[in-house]
Amino acid sequence: MDYKYGRLSLPAQAGDYYKRRPVLQRALVEVNRGQWWPWGCRKVKLYSFLFGLTVAFLITASYILNGDKKGLLLTPSPYHFRVLSNAAGHHPYNLSLARDYASLREVVRTIVTKVEFSHRRVPALKDLLKNEPHIFSVISRKFLSSIKNPCWYEPHADNATANPYRKNRYAQHSPAFRAAYPYLRSGLREHLYEQGGRRYRLRCLPYFYIMGQPKCGTTDLYDRLRRHPDVRFTAMKEPHWWTRKRFGIIRLSDGFHARYPMKDYLDLLDLAAFQIHDNLLGNRSKGRSKCDIIIGEASASTMWDNNAWVYFYHNGTEEEPPFLVQDFIHALQPDAKFIVMLRDPVERLYSDYLYFGMANKSVEDFHDRVSESLQLFEACLSESSLRSCVYNTTLNIAMPVRLQVGLYIVYLLDWLSVYSKNQILVLRLEDHAANCKKTMHRVFRFLSLGRLSEEKEAEITKSPASNTRRLADQNLGPMLPATRNILQQFYRPFNQRLAMMLQDKAFLWTQPGPLTVLAGPGTK
């Protein structure tokens, strides 16, 4: 699968970050308008560097304003953070080698005192239409009542021998989609619906989304759920269309490419649409009134990754994104359902670190990266709100581990600004690992799926776990006790608010759960 993206969504830690780490170790970070780190280092005025930074910013701005982003390398946005070289070649508080436990605890204490949860302003529909008209131009306003999944028939203008997938950008860049390409091409001709001398094709959106989080067992959930006879998925597990592909992001080190249109995303659902079409015609011949097949989509970035906003929606004044992924999905699908799999955010962060294929991984290196990230997060909070820092693209790029992905409550509160609680099922990986059958029953009820035979249920619930941790990573052992303690302190207020909202103390993660190694190489 093509999920090794680049710097904007932070898998760059596996590539770009490690190449430029020696530079960052000698860096001074300036927050907003001249605010420096609180350790009192002397400001070095490197006018030539600032001139170069200004030129780079103007070039980037010109690309954004002109809409011509193809080939533009996605460098960190100039928003909020600027990285300046230290002429002295060192920093009095070394960001990557900080081992002063007491000082690090003070950093976390400062962060915790500034944690305040705020409500977002939900954008108006007219603003969504104005900013992303292509999303709404191909989706029907009404779905077929005879199909449980949101589907509709659209006119098919191409002749019978034309290849409607020839320009699909997933077909050009994704091996997973190319594997289904021959069947799609031949299958479409067999699944056109003719009426009144015109041809129509069935189009569908997902009925539900497995939307997060990375390293929380979403691949295992996906592998089990797709065995259900009434469930289908997109032609590739993680399209990342809502968070990345619609902006033209393939691999960020390659820069922006042409944006993937909505119709390319819909093509990923065509294999399932063919089966729904066949099922619908079969039901009509047998006198049945409803097709119960549903389609799922499982991009683990959907819940949290809004990093592209600063390049597309930022007008120079906002500190928070004016639009989030859920705003656009809700405008199209107010009745959609979402499944979220979470785990202890401390363990999730360590698993995230182990996933990325860099050399010389160690528990000491992980500790150093946690230290750097906490200090960067504290610096942001000294100037901005919690939501501003969580959605700060530049901060997310700069942090060498993805601390922000474990701030589950911030993202869930924003999703609940447009969707109701009964549309979002929140699960714990620890519970799934301890009793997979119970978890899957909750999922089946949530999706209103029919009863299964004992044999089929056993096939789904008793199959081996998918996506387990690599042996080499297991051999690395657990993180350092000091690292664990610091991270537990950092995530505690967020877990407390999450447990309060869900009315479930298990989300405090104060009790050790079963060994959970279901989130190995895979989703991110």
Side-chain angles (χ1 to χ4, degrees):
M1 300 182 188
D2 67 335
Y3 40 64
K4 292 194 175 179
Y5 298 90
R7 294 159 50 189
L8 198 59
S9 56
L10 235 66
Q13 276 91 8
D16 294 343
Y17 175 79
Y18 297 110
K19 295 177 182 177
R20 58 189 174 91
R21 190 179 184 198
V23 177
L24 285 180
Q25 289 176 353
R26 298 190 303 271
L28 301 178
V29 181
E30 182 182 1
V31 184
N32 281 336
R33 298 164 297 279
Q35 177 66 39
W36 287 84
W37 288 93
W39 302 296
C41 60
R42 181 186 177 189
K43 183 174 180 180
V44 180
K45 297 181 179 179
L46 300 178
Y47 294 105
S48 61
F49 180 86
L50 291 176
F51 175 75
L53 183 65
T54 303
V55 171
F57 169 68
L58 292 175
I59 293 173
T60 303
S62 69
Y63 271 100
I64 294 173
L65 293 174
N66 292 330
D68 181 15
K69 303 178 181 66
K70 185 173 182 180
L72 172 64
L73 291 179
L74 290 192
T75 56
S77 141
Y79 185 50
H80 278 277
F81 282 84
R82 294 197 300 276
V83 179
L84 304 179
S85 277
N86 185 350
H90 67 278
H91 194 289
Y93 192 103
N94 191 304
L95 291 182
S96 71
L97 300 177
R99 300 293 182 87
D100 187 338
Y101 183 64
S103 297
L104 198 54
R105 288 187 63 182
E106 181 64 21
V107 168
V108 173
R109 189 198 65 80
T110 303
I111 291 173
V112 170
T113 61
K114 295 179 180 179
V115 171
E116 294 184 4
F117 300 98
S118 59
H119 297 286
R120 65 181 293 254
R121 181 186 66 83
V122 178
L125 177 60
K126 63 180 180 63
D127 294 326
L128 299 175
L129 290 167
K130 178 181 177 182
N131 279 272
E132 297 286 3
H134 74 285
I135 292 180
F136 302 93
S137 63
V138 297
I139 306 298
S140 174
R141 293 180 179 271
K142 294 184 67 176
F143 302 133
L144 296 171
S145 59
S146 57
I147 301 176
K148 180 178 176 180
N149 198 87
C151 299
W152 67 99
Y153 280 106
E154 71 173 26
H156 181 64
D158 290 342
N159 61 56
T161 60
N163 177 14
Y165 304 105
R166 64 188 180 278
K167 295 182 179 179
N168 186 291
R169 296 192 62 77
Y170 282 103
Q172 298 171 18
H173 297 284
S174 169
F177 185 69
R178 284 198 295 271
Y181 182 79
Y183 179 76
L184 281 170
R185 183 176 178 180
S186 62
L188 179 61
R189 293 195 297 270
E190 302 170 4
H191 292 87
L192 292 177
Y193 175 69
E194 294 193 22
Q195 185 178 42
R198 300 188 65 184
R199 291 189 179 91
Y200 297 85
R201 64 189 293 189
L202 188 67
R203 286 295 213 177
C204 300
L205 285 166
Y207 177 82
F208 71 97
Y209 297 80
I210 299 176
M211 65 174 182
Q213 289 288 67
K215 319 321 304 164
C216 291
T218 56
T219 297
D220 188 75
L221 177 62
Y222 160 84
D223 282 339
R224 296 181 191 279
L225 194 50
R226 67 177 178 168
R227 298 169 187 253
H228 194 288
D230 290 336
V231 176
R232 306 293 185 272
F233 276 93
T234 50
M236 53 187 296
K237 176 181 176 284
E238 294 190 278
H240 295 295
W241 188 83
W242 290 102
T243 54
R244 298 165 187 173
K245 297 301 198 302
R246 69 186 173 102
F247 300 108
I249 299 170
I250 302 173
R251 294 176 180 82
L252 297 181
S253 57
D254 297 335
F256 284 103
H257 294 254
R259 301 176 73 170
Y260 285 41
M262 169 63 87
K263 65 181 184 64
D264 285 10
Y265 176 63
L266 297 179
D267 286 347
L268 300 180
L269 287 82
D270 274 2
L271 284 174
F274 295 165
Q275 297 179 53
I276 291 175
H277 174 81
D278 291 340
N279 187 281
L280 184 62
L281 294 180
N283 284 349
R284 287 175 181 173
S285 66
K286 297 175 182 177
R288 298 173 184 169
S289 59
K290 192 81 171 180
C291 173
D292 291 327
I293 294 176
I294 59 174
I295 308 173
E297 199 253 70
S299 298
S301 63
T302 303
M303 177 174 161
W304 65 275
D305 190 352
N306 285 274
N307 279 317
W309 80 271
V310 74
Y311 298 97
F312 288 85
Y313 304 140
H314 184 237
N315 66 9
T317 59
E318 302 107 333
E319 288 196 349
E320 301 175 7
F323 311 112
L324 297 175
V325 164
Q326 54 265 41
D327 298 325
F328 296 101
I329 299 179
H330 181 264
L332 296 174
Q333 298 180 261
D335 299 322
K337 294 188 176 184
F338 304 88
I339 302 174
V340 182
M341 185 81 87
L342 305 178
R343 73 188 293 190
D344 182 345
V346 176
E347 294 296 339
R348 193 220 69 82
L349 189 67
Y350 190 47
S351 180
D352 208 37
Y353 165 79
L354 294 177
Y355 163 72
F356 294 110
M358 85 291 290
N360 302 318
K361 284 183 286 190
S362 68
V363 293
E364 292 81 12
D365 181 67
F366 176 66
H367 181 87
D368 291 344
R369 296 177 190 280
V370 168
S371 299
E372 295 177 26
S373 300
L374 287 169
Q375 293 158 33
L376 287 166
F377 199 81
E378 181 203 19
C380 182
L381 282 178
S382 70
E383 290 285 316
S384 303
S385 69
L386 173 62
R387 289 189 73 255
S388 296
C389 293
V390 169
Y391 291 112
N392 187 316
T393 301
T394 306
L395 173 63
N396 291 343
I397 294 170
M399 288 193 298
V401 290
R402 299 193 290 187
L403 283 175
Q404 81 281 6
V405 178
L407 305 180
Y408 309 137
I409 183 62
V410 177
Y411 302 112
L412 280 173
L413 287 174
D414 283 350
W415 277 86
L416 289 171
S417 69
V418 290
Y419 284 103
S420 63
K421 282 186 178 181
N422 60 13
Q423 290 177 271
I424 303 176
L425 175 64
V426 184
L427 305 170
R428 294 195 329 144
L429 174 61
E430 293 83 356
D431 299 331
H432 181 64
N435 192 337
C436 170
K437 183 176 181 179
K438 183 177 180 180
T439 299
M440 296 311 299
H441 280 182
R442 289 187 64 189
V443 173
F444 296 158
R445 288 194 299 271
F446 176 71
L447 298 176
S448 302
L449 294 170
R451 296 190 59 161
L452 296 170
S453 66
E454 291 184 5
E455 293 78 11
K456 191 63 181 179
E457 181 178 296
E459 177 190 337
I460 293 173
T461 60
K462 295 183 179 180
S463 59
S466 299
N467 210 19
T468 55
R469 185 174 291 174
R470 291 175 294 229
L471 180 61
D473 293 336
Q474 294 183 43
N475 292 338
L476 196 63
M479 70 187 80
L480 296 173
T483 315
R484 182 183 302 278
N485 185 269
I486 287 295
L487 286 172
Q488 287 173 339
Q489 293 178 50
F490 170 71
Y491 283 117
R492 184 173 294 127
F494 302 97
N495 295 343
Q496 289 172 341
R497 181 62 184 271
L498 178 66
M500 183 185 303
M501 186 192 74
L502 298 176
Q503 297 182 332
D504 188 345
K505 292 183 179 180
F507 287 93
L508 292 172
W509 283 287
T510 54
Q511 300 297 324
L515 181 64
T516 55
V517 292
L518 295 174
T523 62
K524 62 162 196 40

